Amino acid sequence: MTIELRHLRAFLAIAEEGNVTRAAARLHLSQPALSRTLRQIEEHFGTRLVDRSTHHLRLTAEGRTFRDKALAALSAVETALDPRGLKSRPLRLGHPWAALGDHTVPLLRRWDETHPGTPLELLRIDDRTAGLTQGKVDAALLRGEVTADGLRTELLTSEERVVVMPADSPLAALPRVTLADLAAHPIALNTVSGTTTMDLWPPTARPVAAIEVTNTDEWLIAIAAGRAVGISTSATPSHHTHPSLVFRPLTDAPAIPVVLAWREGLGHPAIPNLVALAHQVIAADGARRTTG
């Protein structure tokens, strides 16, 4: 059987709705017809993609992999068939938080000056690869180790770690903070796009508890409310200010690499220009700080 676009759209509707009936209504199909389409896809791959053992359908591991590939494929087709793409194809640059830190605005300004024919769209997407593996963006600014398959990365810079805490925290009295100082406090962990895990501490000296959140906004609120403290990078203070938060350097944790990532194979033709310009902007900002 040949997989067609209708198969991709049908599967993605089921994955998003978690229910065949709602997915069928969304696609204006009958439930039996959509169920047959799902069976055809599974027969093509020779494996179950959807777990039907519960009322709310769940994707199997194979189903989650196919969902990401289907999203990327459908996005590529829609981009290729968009009439606006014949005139000017934007370069979509994703990030899960803080973009390129203090270098973000200079990068955007320089891009507009040097590449006026190619719009650069900066998109925040709460995802481990900022939507890159799903085809939502052409490139992404990511922090920490990038483990997703099929991606190329270019190291741009590194950022020192900082501790984020409520202004009334006892830790705020310290000019600098160590990992040991944090052991008595709950830690807010962004499990989707954060760079901090409990593995940062030795197994015998880990914090008393962790509060897990799924995006930067939830992470900031948990800290501002006094429920936890957090660890981020030096890009956070200028991008996520809040009157209830203070920041202190974390002295004994490794710096975090910042990379530009993109998919292997044919990609946006302007990606090499973006890589080169990002290096230029970072170098120029560093030279200004040195001379200033």
Side-chain angles (χ1 to χ4, degrees), residues 221-245:
I221 290 172
I223 297 170
R227 297 174 178 174
V229 297
I231 297 176
S232 188
T233 78
S234 54
T236 299
S238 60
H239 277 256
H240 300 288
T241 58
H242 191 288
S244 299
L245 297 178

Side-chain angles (χ1 to χ4, degrees), residues 88-94 104-112 114-123 138-141 260 268 270-271 273-274 277-278:
S88 177
R89 178 184 170 191
L91 175 56
R92 303 166 300 170
L93 179 60
T104 303
V105 171
L107 176 66
L108 296 178
R109 286 183 174 273
R110 286 285 293 142
W111 182 270
D112 291 345
T114 56
H115 300 83
T118 305
L120 179 60
E121 298 179 352
L122 186 65
L123 307 171
D138 302 297
L141 293 163
L260 183 67
H268 196 291
I271 287 177
N273 297 329
L274 181 61
L277 187 61

